[in-house]
Amino acid sequence: MEKPFIHEDFLLETKAARQLFHEYADGMPIIDYHCHLAPKDIAEDRKFDNLSQLWLDGDHYKWRVMRTNGIDEKFITGSASDWAKFEKWAETVPYTLRNPLYHWTHLELKKPFGISKLLDSETAREIFDKTKAKLQQAEFTARGILKYWNVEVVCTTDDPVDSLEYHIQAQSSPFKLLPTWRPDKAMDVANPEVYNEYINHLAEVAETEILTYSSLLEALRKRHDYFAQNGCKLSDHGIEEFYANDFTQNEIDNIFRKVRSGNQLVEAEIRKFKSAMLFEFAIMDHEKGWVQQFHYGALRNNNAQMFQQLGPDSGYDSMGDHEIANSLSKFLNRLEKTKQLTKTIIYNINPKDNDVIATMAGNFQDGTIPGKIQFGAGWWFLDQKQGIEDQLNTLSNHGLLSHFVGMLTDSRSFLSFSRHEYFRRILCNMLGHDMEKGLIPNDLEMVGKMVQYICYYNAKRYFNF
């Protein structure tokens, strides 16, 4: 009998790889330390009516390839029914061969739904109906899916103005639902009208009048404290590049007054302000012992017409090609000079920067914490098989793979926890090949222990969970 496409040894090409995965990696708890799941869905244990709601809503990966396949926008982000959108996605799936979405789609059907059939136009109705029926069962809720995947910690992505009410509501859960501080809007001064509307909201939430730069920092510190009180241990920053321009306090005070007055800033002022804010955020994180994460390099909202129609995060972002080495070095060095550089994870979106990031991390390891400065997992366009392998190889060449904190979903979908399995299979396959080629010792226990630390224990220690 022919094996289904997704089978127990999927991606595991050697005996050693299969042993590493099945005996050491599979079943390890999951610490998903960066995602975009809605805390409300978790706190209220949302039930999804059908696979479209669980799978297609907000998934710009799928949206991009559906557009490339010639699907009309009404079936992507428009007013079409859930079934009609799913039917068009099923029609697209066969055309995604060699795109990571083909792997992810069938991994997510296999677990937790137990479906081995390939998704296409002919199987769409059967799969839609079968998953719809399963989603009515008690265990197929938001929390039920977390339990299925043995998820121990979920760290969402939250703005300083967020109330964190759903994190508080979920405190009695068997897993940890923790916020992550994402203060990007507090430094985004390019549009004074939008910025001032945000600052007014921040002032209201922090109960602090914000008229000066110092009062802005006071309000942000209040919210930073509030996040810490509710279990936050990480920050995250989505930046185009690292900002490390020189500035004086007087310059930043004047720039803030100017933007608060509604005046447009010039590029040099914007860069100085972002440099000052990025530095202050890093100081706050160091004071609390948080981990700071930097997702950098995306060129966002390239299609102006569609951005106006759909807004951000709708599938019109791509890799940027910013120069990075000098500014990143200057940013980290500025913090290290005063011993205020906290644990840091750096994720690049352009593979040209792999060696830059991996070697830069070595410049700022200080011997206090294993892997203090981390070259982060393959992110966004790089969280596919080749991107994961490239990141693992580059990290191995320039650092210590043994101290890597492993994978994360970075996703808005509850089905994306299969990406941890995907990563674990790829990791075990790489190491299994190395064992059989004699590149590392053929010692299953030694290599298996490293696998378990990369999959789980390193993150648990690094984030103090």
Side-chain angles (χ1 to χ4, degrees):
M1 182 176 178
E2 185 179 350
K3 281 186 178 180
F5 176 58
I6 302 298
H7 54 84
E8 64 178 8
D9 294 332
F10 177 62
L11 298 179
L12 304 172
E13 299 170 328
T14 66
K15 179 181 178 182
R18 293 188 284 273
Q19 287 179 300
L20 287 173
F21 179 75
H22 294 300
E23 297 178 26
Y24 292 91
D26 194 23
M28 292 292 289
I30 287 175
I31 292 177
D32 201 47
Y33 55 89
H34 176 73
C35 74
H36 297 275
L37 294 177
K40 185 176 188 290
D41 289 348
I42 299 174
E44 297 181 351
D45 200 17
R46 178 181 174 184
K47 288 187 70 70
F48 297 86
D49 292 336
N50 55 62
L51 194 52
S52 287
Q53 293 181 9
L54 183 57
W55 220 11
L56 300 179
D57 289 357
D59 191 339
H60 51 84
Y61 287 82
K62 294 184 178 71
W63 295 352
R64 282 172 69 94
V65 297
M66 290 175 75
R67 292 174 186 132
T68 304
N69 197 41
I71 304 297
D72 189 274
E73 194 66 31
K74 71 178 180 181
F75 297 105
I76 303 172
T77 60
S79 59
S81 68
D82 287 346
W83 158 245
K85 289 179 178 180
F86 183 83
E87 186 178 30
K88 290 298 183 181
W89 168 241
E91 176 186 315
T92 300
V93 168
Y95 295 97
T96 66
L97 282 172
R98 300 203 82 243
N99 184 292
L101 280 163
Y102 198 81
H103 283 173
W104 297 343
T105 294
H106 293 99
L107 281 168
E108 292 169 12
L109 287 174
K110 183 69 173 178
K111 294 181 179 180
F113 296 107
I115 294 173
S116 297
K117 287 189 175 182
L118 300 181
L119 178 60
D120 55 29
S121 296
E122 294 183 1
T123 61
R125 185 81 247 182
E126 177 188 352
I127 289 174
F128 187 81
D129 290 345
K130 185 174 182 179
T131 55
K132 182 178 175 67
K134 288 212 169 191
L135 287 169
Q136 310 315 308
Q137 298 174 12
E139 66 269 26
F140 279 87
T141 61
R143 293 194 187 193
I145 293 171
L146 296 180
K147 181 180 179 181
Y148 174 89
W149 279 108
N150 196 16
V151 177
E152 192 172 282
V153 182
V154 174
C155 296
T156 57
T157 305
D158 311 279
D159 191 278
V161 302
D162 289 348
S163 68
L164 306 185
E165 60 184 296
Y166 297 111
H167 297 84
I168 296 169
Q169 184 177 327
Q171 284 179 350
S172 59
S173 303
F175 54 86
K176 292 181 180 179
L177 174 62
L178 302 178
T180 298
W181 170 264
R182 180 73 173 256
D184 296 352
K185 292 180 180 178
M187 58 185 272
D188 190 5
V189 289
N191 185 323
E193 182 179 355
V194 173
Y195 183 71
N196 281 314
E197 182 178 345
Y198 174 79
I199 295 301
N200 290 338
H201 189 190
L202 174 64
E204 181 181 350
V205 170
E207 299 180 340
T208 302
E209 188 176 24
I210 303 177
L211 299 176
T212 63
Y213 181 64
S214 62
S215 58
L216 169 64
L217 295 183
E218 179 186 353
L220 287 167
R221 283 185 175 276
K222 283 186 177 181
R223 298 305 297 168
H224 201 267
D225 291 343
Y226 179 74
F227 270 56
Q229 291 162 12
N230 287 285
C232 184
K233 295 177 182 289
L234 301 92
S235 70
D236 182 61
H237 309 267
I239 53 178
E240 300 87 354
E241 54 187 300
F242 281 89
Y243 298 98
N245 291 48
D246 293 325
F247 59 85
T248 66
Q249 187 63 54
N250 187 56
E251 284 178 319
I252 301 304
D253 291 340
N254 289 335
I255 290 170
F256 186 72
R257 278 195 293 268
K258 181 177 178 180
V259 74
R260 270 310 253 161
S261 298
N263 296 309
Q264 186 68 48
L265 302 178
V266 299
E267 180 63 23
E269 291 172 322
I270 293 173
R271 295 185 68 86
K272 283 179 181 287
F273 188 79
K274 288 185 175 182
S275 298
M277 292 299 293
L278 211 58
F279 178 75
E280 291 293 342
F281 292 143
I283 297 299
M284 293 181 199
D285 292 348
H286 178 266
E287 289 172 351
K288 291 189 174 67
W290 287 5
V291 175
Q292 59 183 354
Q293 301 174 93
F294 296 99
H295 288 84
Y296 85 88
L299 193 62
R300 298 179 185 271
N301 308 318
N302 293 272
N303 189 324
Q305 180 181 354
M306 294 308 293
F307 174 69
Q308 186 174 7
Q309 179 180 330
L310 299 176
D313 303 321
S314 53
Y316 296 96
D317 305 329
S318 58
M319 295 181 187
D321 59 355
H322 304 91
E323 292 187 6
I324 187 66
N326 289 332
S327 58
L328 174 56
S329 176
K330 188 174 180 180
F331 172 73
L332 296 175
N333 200 46
R334 180 177 281 170
L335 293 162
E336 182 64 21
K337 282 180 181 177
T338 54
K339 299 300 179 186
Q340 292 175 297
L341 178 59
T342 193
K343 291 178 284 189
T344 303
I345 307 176
I346 304 168
Y347 310 86
N348 58 292
I349 200 170
N350 192 323
K352 75 176 180 61
D353 295 334
N354 280 4
D355 291 278
V356 172
I357 300 305
T359 56
M360 186 67 70
N363 296 331
F364 295 95
Q365 308 288 7
D366 61 10
T368 61
I369 300 165
K372 178 179 177 180
I373 312 299
Q374 292 269 331
F375 172 28
W379 168 52
W380 202 340
F381 295 107
L382 302 181
D383 62 356
Q384 25 73 10
K385 185 174 181 292
Q386 180 178 326
I388 292 170
E389 289 173 345
D390 287 347
Q391 188 270 347
L392 292 171
N393 280 323
T394 304
L395 174 55
S396 299
N397 287 335
H398 301 302
L400 294 179
L401 177 62
S402 300
H403 288 310
F404 180 41
V405 293
M407 194 57 176
L408 60 159
T409 62
D410 189 31
S411 175
R412 293 166 174 80
S413 170
F414 282 87
L415 293 184
S416 291
F417 290 103
S418 63
R419 294 188 193 176
H420 285 268
E421 179 187 351
Y422 193 56
F423 167 83
R424 291 172 181 184
R425 288 178 179 273
I426 292 168
L427 172 68
C428 290
N429 192 54
M430 289 183 65
L431 294 173
H433 273 294
D434 285 351
M435 290 169 68
E436 297 205 355
K437 291 176 182 176
L439 296 175
I440 61 177
N442 193 10
D443 185 328
L444 189 65
E445 183 177 354
M446 179 177 74
V447 181
K449 182 178 179 181
M450 182 174 78
V451 165
Q452 291 187 324
Y453 270 82
I454 293 170
C455 293
Y456 172 68
Y457 291 112
N458 286 343
K460 189 176 183 70
R461 176 183 61 186
Y462 188 76
F463 299 110
N464 295 322
F465 291 143

